[in-house]
């Protein structure tokens, strides 16, 4: 799978996606600053989310539409998404600015209208969030654009993962393990699912992680050790506390994560043992005078 000329997987190290999400706080200038920050960190791409409150949920106060626990406990889904959405009319400017600074930009699509909008901008890839993995019509519609697909697995069982896989081009899709917890915890990161997904889907399918943990980039580094092909992590600005701020990294910490992931990948790369320059320091035999033919060496 290739995004904007960059192969995903293939021993090149994790493709690092800075998830901007709603960390713009409803301000276009902040969204543009997030793109600038993503470029500064050394991430391969910056990603936004394309939905509106009306396309993702209902304006309803019944219990099913009130978040029962976690970071957003007690909030109405419709009102939460209203605060968090990235307006569709921003996307042309976001794509233009990303092109200007030289970083790949794409988005999560949540319905057919978001795919249509993003296609009009030449979006190079589509992300499907973990909660949408059972929306087969959406996945099929996005996959039919011919663009690379990135699908988070979240709490999906492996049959549901395979159903999503079945409607995609097998050479043009990657899957990300995540836990669908906000924020996630290191203790419940379940990184064993990275090699498990590789067994379920095949060793040639890029498998990565979408990390929602707060604090240091432990999950990103451990995932690199498990040969993750992609790492997605939320990026925030120091001065903006959006709805996802608690499990996001500010620019300098994100940059440190990128550097640690790159170093971890280098440390994991297989190398030919005989080329190690330290071999010349091993104990050796040197002749300090001429040796006659047939002469025996003493101990």
């Amino acid at each position: 799978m290739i995004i904007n000329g960059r192969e995903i997987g293939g021993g090149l190290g994790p493709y690092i996606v800075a998830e901007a999400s709603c960390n713009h706080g409803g301000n276009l200038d902040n969204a543009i600053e997030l793109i600038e920050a993503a470029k500064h960190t050394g991430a391969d791409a910056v990603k936004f989310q394309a939905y509106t409150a009306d396309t993702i949920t209902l304006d309803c106060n019944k219990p099913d539409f009130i978040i029962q626990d976690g970071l957003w406990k007690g909030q109405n889904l419709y009102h939460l998404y209203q605060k968090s959405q990235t307006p569709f009319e921003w996307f042309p400017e976001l794509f233009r600015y990303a092109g200007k600074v030289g970083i790949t930009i794409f988005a999560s699509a949540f319905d057919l209208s978001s795919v249509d909008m993003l296609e009009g901008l030449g979006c190079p890839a589509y992300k499907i969030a973990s909660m949408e993995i059972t929306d087969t019509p959406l996945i099929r519609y996005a996959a039919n654009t011919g663009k690379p697909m990135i699908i988070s697995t979240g709490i999906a069982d492996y049959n549901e993962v395979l159903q999503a896989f079945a409607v995609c081009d097998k050479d043009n899709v990657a899957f990300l393990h995540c836990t669908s917890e906000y924020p996630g915890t290191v203790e419940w990161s379940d990184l064993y699912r990275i090699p498990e997904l590789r067994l379920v889907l095949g060793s040639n399918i890029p498998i990565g992680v979408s990390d929602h943990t707060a604090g240091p980039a432990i999950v990103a580094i451990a995932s690199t050790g498990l040969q993750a092909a992609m790492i997605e992590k939320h990026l925030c600005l120091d001065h903006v506390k959006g709805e996802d701020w608690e499990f996001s990294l500010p620019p300098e910490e994100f940059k440190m994560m990128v550097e640690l992931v790159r170093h971890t990948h280098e440390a994991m790369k297989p190398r030919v043992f005989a080329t190690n320059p330290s071999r010349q320091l091993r104990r050796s035999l040197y002749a300090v005078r001429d040796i006659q033919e047939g002469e025996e060496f003493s101990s």
Side-chain angles (χ1 to χ4, degrees), residues 96 183 230 261:
R96 185 200 68 78
M230 184 178 292
V261 165

Side-chain angles (χ1 to χ4, degrees), residues 44-250:
D44 295 290
V46 60
K47 186 178 78 67
F48 287 83
Q49 297 180 0
Y51 64 82
T52 69
D54 289 314
T55 61
I56 201 170
T57 190
L58 301 175
D59 188 0
C60 179
N61 283 315
K62 291 185 177 181
D64 283 348
F65 295 85
I66 305 298
I67 300 173
Q68 300 301 316
D69 52 33
L71 183 59
W72 307 298
K73 182 177 180 179
Q75 293 202 52
N76 171 281
L77 280 174
Y78 187 87
H79 297 151
L80 176 64
Y81 289 131
Q82 271 190 322
K83 289 188 293 182
S84 303
Q85 66 191 22
T86 302
F88 279 21
E89 56 266 28
W90 289 9
F91 277 91
E93 176 61 15
L94 299 179
F95 272 67
R96 185 200 68 78
Y97 192 79
K100 176 183 175 182
V101 301
I103 188 170
T104 295
I105 183 173
F106 61 97
S108 296
F110 289 83
D111 72 303
L112 307 192
S113 70
S114 59
V115 175
D116 292 339
M117 180 273 292
L118 293 164
E119 269 296 282
L121 297 172
C123 189
Y126 289 104
K127 169 74 187 296
I128 302 296
S130 62
M131 297 301 185
E132 320 306 316
I133 192 170
T134 55
D135 189 348
T136 304
L138 171 63
I139 297 172
R140 181 183 289 110
Y141 192 77
N144 283 345
T145 66
K147 303 292 179 59
M149 297 288 293
I150 303 157
I151 303 175
S152 278
T153 57
I155 57 175
D157 62 38
Y158 289 138
N159 284 330
E160 291 167 331
V161 171
L162 288 169
Q163 287 169 13
F165 186 48
V167 298
C168 294
D169 177 352
K170 307 306 180 287
D171 296 322
N172 215 19
V173 62
F175 284 83
L176 303 184
H177 160 64
C178 74
T179 59
S180 297
E181 290 181 305
Y182 306 93
T185 61
V186 171
E187 294 85 351
W188 289 90
S189 291
D190 298 344
L191 293 184
Y192 69 91
R193 282 182 172 261
I194 293 176
E196 269 196 4
L197 281 165
R198 205 171 279 127
L199 288 173
V200 170
L201 296 168
S203 59
N204 59 321
I205 303 300
I207 305 297
V209 66
S210 181
D211 176 22
H212 304 142
T213 57
I218 295 169
V219 169
I221 295 166
S223 299
T224 304
L226 291 170
Q227 299 180 318
M230 184 178 292
I231 293 171
E232 179 182 274
K233 181 74 175 176
H234 282 64
L235 172 69
C236 66
L237 301 173
D238 290 296
H239 61 282
V240 180
K241 291 192 176 182
E243 298 298 325
D244 292 350
W245 178 83
E246 191 168 322
F247 52 90
S248 303
L249 292 180

Side-chain angles (χ1 to χ4, degrees), residues 271-282:
R271 304 188 191 279
V272 179
F273 182 72
T275 63
N276 189 325
S278 295
R279 284 175 63 84
Q280 74 184 62
L281 302 177
R282 300 202 313 178

